[in-house]
Amino acid sequence: MKTFYILLILTASVFSLSGQQTFSGPASGYVFDNVQQSIRPLLGLPGASWLGARSGVEQQWDSVSVAPNGKWGLGLSGLSINLIPDLSQPDTSTSVGEASGPISRIVWSADSTTAVTWSPTTGQLQRITALDSTPIVHTPLDLTVLSGVLSGWNLSHDGRYVALSGPALGRASVFLSDHDGAPAPIGYLTDPGAVAFSADSTSLFVVNGARHQIAILDLSSGSIEGAIDTSPFAAGASVPDTGSRNPRMPRPASTAIQDLAVSADGFTLYAIGGETLCGYDLSVGNMPSCSNLEVAPRSFQSMPGGILLLNYSRTGSMPLWLLDGKTGQTWFVPAGNTAADASF
């Protein structure tokens, strides 16, 4: 997996008679710019894209989680959860409800109709459904069996199941909740961490840190169907930063895998930990293709077209990082001029 660094020459930019700059191009979705605290359109095509500006007055959100379809999202303001039904008009939102505590992460179903929030301070997961119509906030999931401590969790592609991992009753366990049902154990691993469903939601990938593996669990039986080697995360990826603006030798990576994501076509499993990104070809089970990044993402976020946003702590004018789930290529997206209009 090769990392591509793109120097964008904005040849599509034009200047109006008033001298105002306008970026023109196809919009492939929206992202929340935590630096500017605003929702911005992603313009252009993979490998040659940039962030457009928002115009008009927009509410300042603490954070916004954008749905995989790139059309709507959930905006957080304090403990208030709000549906933004049209991200092209971010000043219009509807209150969904109040969270029990600060939300650290929101995960979506592939069809963007279901989201699950996680509040580590209260130890509660909460499902929100019907986000394409009239949202329904469900009763928080009781995690008493896990004492509110999660090592990893994720939502199935159809929004039906929530998978969780963590210490429970003296054993490290993997659990499954069907709709809003109480979590039921489906497997026991030495050191379970991040989890991800297969594209058909019949299998579950679970990091087993102590063994430097990703276990593959069959959801119907709970049996381990196989294991994927994660030793590149223990030793550090051996792929140099080819084409980097600042070429350097590979650096050791964190041994802890932060998140897993399966590509939209179901053929590739991606893992991130520290500054290491690895892609595993699930069809042949060969050694992964790995890259060293210049950032340390903490999670993946699905976007339209099979693109995955690599969430990391951005400051100042730092760019966004995107991963093409089909090709395994990564590129960064410059923040651009936040005062310019974007037409698309």
Side-chain angles (χ1 to χ4, degrees):
M1 179 164 50
K2 184 178 180 181
T3 303
F4 287 85
Y5 298 83
I6 308 298
L7 175 62
L8 295 178
I9 303 175
L10 300 180
T11 55
S13 298
V14 296
F15 293 86
S16 67
L17 294 177
S18 64
Q20 185 180 33
Q21 190 177 18
T22 301
F23 298 145
S24 300
S28 55
Y30 292 85
V31 296
F32 178 69
D33 183 353
N34 67 291
V35 176
Q36 298 295 323
Q37 292 291 292
S38 63
I39 300 167
R40 302 176 64 181
L42 182 66
L43 305 176
L45 301 172
S49 52
W50 65 97
L51 283 180
R54 292 303 309 158
S55 60
V57 179
E58 178 186 341
Q59 180 172 340
Q60 295 295 299
W61 301 104
D62 295 333
S63 65
V64 175
S65 180
V66 176
N69 63 12
K71 296 179 180 179
W72 55 76
L74 290 174
L76 303 179
S77 180
L79 297 181
S80 177
I81 306 174
N82 305 269
L83 173 65
I84 307 171
D86 184 354
L87 293 175
S88 67
Q89 302 179 39
D91 55 338
T92 302
S93 62
T94 303
S95 176
V96 172
E98 293 284 317
S100 59
I103 293 174
S104 66
R105 189 180 182 189
I106 297 177
V107 173
W108 294 79
S109 61
D111 63 4
S112 301
T113 64
T114 301
V116 176
T117 67
W118 164 239
S119 174
T121 58
T122 61
Q124 290 188 347
L125 281 170
Q126 191 161 30
R127 188 191 303 264
I128 306 174
T129 57
L131 284 163
D132 56 339
S133 54
T134 303
I136 302 172
V137 179
H138 295 236
T139 301
L141 190 62
D142 182 7
L143 298 184
T144 304
V145 67
L146 284 162
S147 301
V149 178
L150 296 182
S151 300
W153 68 279
N154 221 320
L155 183 64
S156 64
H157 292 249
D158 59 5
R160 175 177 175 177
Y161 298 108
V162 176
L164 315 97
S165 69
L169 304 178
R171 300 185 69 180
S173 308
V174 181
F175 292 80
L176 193 68
S177 170
D178 186 350
H179 289 102
D180 296 320
I186 60 169
Y188 298 92
L189 299 176
T190 308
D191 182 21
V195 301
F197 286 87
S198 61
D200 59 5
S201 296
T202 62
S203 300
L204 187 68
F205 301 99
V206 187
V207 172
N208 193 356
R211 298 200 174 196
H212 303 303
Q213 292 179 338
I214 299 173
I216 307 174
L217 273 65
D218 178 74
L219 288 184
S220 61
S221 65
S223 62
I224 297 179
E225 299 177 317
I228 298 172
D229 177 42
T230 62
S231 55
F233 290 91
S238 60
V239 180
D241 292 331
T242 305
S244 171
R245 295 165 294 174
N246 299 296
R248 58 177 179 262
M249 294 299 292
R251 292 152 298 178
S254 167
T255 57
I257 293 178
Q258 296 296 307
D259 201 14
L260 299 174
V262 176
S263 61
D265 59 16
F267 296 150
T268 308
L269 173 67
Y270 291 102
I272 50 173
E275 296 185 358
T276 299
L277 166 68
C278 291
Y280 297 85
D281 187 336
L282 297 175
S283 63
V284 295
N286 57 2
M287 287 299 293
S289 176
C290 298
S291 294
N292 284 338
L293 305 175
E294 293 186 352
V295 295
R298 65 184 184 277
S299 64
F300 294 104
Q301 180 179 328
S302 296
M303 296 182 63
I307 303 299
L308 293 170
L309 173 66
L310 304 180
N311 286 313
Y312 75 101
S313 298
R314 293 176 59 238
T315 59
S317 60
M318 296 175 70
L320 295 176
W321 279 74
L322 301 177
L323 166 66
D324 186 329
K326 185 174 182 180
T327 66
Q329 297 177 358
T330 59
W331 71 94
F332 65 80
V333 179
N337 183 356
T338 59
D341 291 334
S343 63
F344 49 93

